[in-house]
Amino acid sequence: MLLAINANNTNVKFGVIDGERIIGEWRQHTSAMRTGDEHAVWLFQLMAMEGIDPKSITAAIIGSVVPQATFNLRRLCVRYFATEPLVLGESNVEYGIKVKGQGAGADRICNSVGASIMFPNTPMVVVDFGTATTFDVVDEEGSYCGGVIAPGINLSIEALVNATALLPRIVVEKPAKVIGTTTVDCMHAGVFWGYVGLIEGIVARIRDEFGRPMRVISTGGLAPVFEGSTTVIEQNVPDITVRGLIEIYRRNAR
């Protein structure tokens, strides 16, 4: 079985894959200080709760946008699963798609590969609601063509709270109406509908520049909050990143 690890700025997600099935999936807060031993203690307990034997793991792949955390994740794989992981970004890794431009993070490449296998021969925009809100553009051939990076929703809330004296910290949720009558109502409206406007505006400009029809899907922890609030996003696909990670492993294994 395959252990797939996706380390983002906020969370590290672990998945155990048996053939085509994801039989276990967990996440923990990202910390560069967490050792391989600490990862193992936490992960082994969760695997035991799902009836998964750690000895059944025979391969591993790591996609990380947090270089400081990668070393300890590699140590986890080598010491506790007796496998040298495939690490995205290293020179021996083949993605099976063209990556146009420079500096694309592992998560954006995984999104592109995941989109290309789940929706083949279809130009795509993948809107990923993570620490940053990213827009990944994928063409008919599955190539990563570039995209857009905007501040994430929670980052924007933190900036608003930290830069003002009286505004409280809020949780992202859809407000009942746009015009707020309390400070908290006004903040909810500004954050939520402000991001809906950002999504619709950026997708419209991407489509105009791309010059042909595109499918738009979403992923990421906060994507469900926006379901049904804009017609621009056609579908939420929560596991598209890990699906891309799995496919990259298979392409390299072959």
Side-chain angles (χ1 to χ4, degrees):
M1 289 193 285
L2 173 68
L3 176 66
I5 303 173
N6 180 29
N8 291 325
N9 289 294
T10 302
N11 292 314
V12 183
K13 287 167 274 188
F14 297 81
V16 175
I17 295 88
D18 184 9
E20 297 295 325
R21 296 185 304 123
I22 301 174
I23 62 172
E25 197 168 13
W26 313 277
R27 65 179 64 200
Q28 65 179 193
H29 181 70
T30 303
S31 171
M33 304 301 294
R34 187 173 288 114
T35 67
D37 301 331
E38 291 172 314
H39 282 302
V41 170
W42 175 84
L43 186 58
F44 275 34
Q45 291 185 55
L46 290 170
M47 292 175 71
M49 291 170 65
E50 296 291 336
I52 300 171
D53 183 357
K55 294 180 180 178
S56 64
I57 301 296
T58 57
I61 183 169
I62 299 172
S64 174
V65 298
V66 187
Q68 302 91 331
T70 306
F71 174 81
N72 287 320
L73 291 169
R74 186 194 290 271
R75 288 288 298 159
L76 165 72
C77 298
V78 172
R79 180 171 182 180
Y80 290 98
F81 296 103
T83 182
E84 182 65 41
L86 189 72
V87 181
L88 271 62
E90 296 187 345
S91 58
N92 63 323
V93 179
E94 295 290 340
Y95 300 119
I97 63 169
K98 294 179 181 177
V99 180
K100 301 176 182 179
Q102 298 178 345
D107 52 344
R108 309 189 75 185
I109 293 173
C110 289
N111 286 348
S112 301
V113 173
S116 69
I117 62 171
M118 296 182 75
F119 305 95
N121 307 313
T122 305
M124 305 282 298
V125 179
V126 183
V127 186
D128 192 338
F129 294 93
T131 306
T133 301
T134 60
F135 299 74
D136 303 319
V137 178
V138 185
D139 65 15
E140 297 92 337
E141 298 175 348
S143 301
Y144 169 76
C145 300
V148 176
I149 301 176
I153 302 165
N154 284 326
L155 279 181
S156 297
I157 292 173
E158 288 300 312
L160 193 61
V161 171
N162 291 333
T164 59
L166 296 177
L167 296 184
R169 185 171 280 101
I170 62 170
V171 176
V172 182
E173 59 183 33
K174 184 177 179 179
K177 53 185 180 179
V178 177
I179 302 173
T181 54
T182 69
T183 298
V184 171
D185 289 345
C186 293
M187 291 177 68
H188 278 303
V191 170
F192 185 87
W193 293 115
Y195 265 85
V196 169
L198 179 143
I199 294 160
E200 294 174 342
I202 289 180
V203 167
R205 289 177 181 274
I206 288 173
R207 281 173 160 163
D208 287 344
E209 191 170 304
F210 196 75
R212 47 196 187 276
M214 307 179 78
R215 187 183 183 97
V216 182
I217 62 173
S218 66
T219 193
L222 287 173
V225 177
F226 293 91
E227 282 192 86
S229 296
T230 174
T231 57
V232 165
I233 296 175
E234 302 168 52
Q235 184 178 348
N236 180 39
V237 187
D239 62 351
I240 195 167
T241 310
V242 72
R243 290 293 177 189
L245 199 58
I246 296 166
E247 179 62 21
I248 290 169
Y249 170 77
R250 288 175 178 164
R251 291 175 181 180
N252 283 269
R254 287 197 294 267

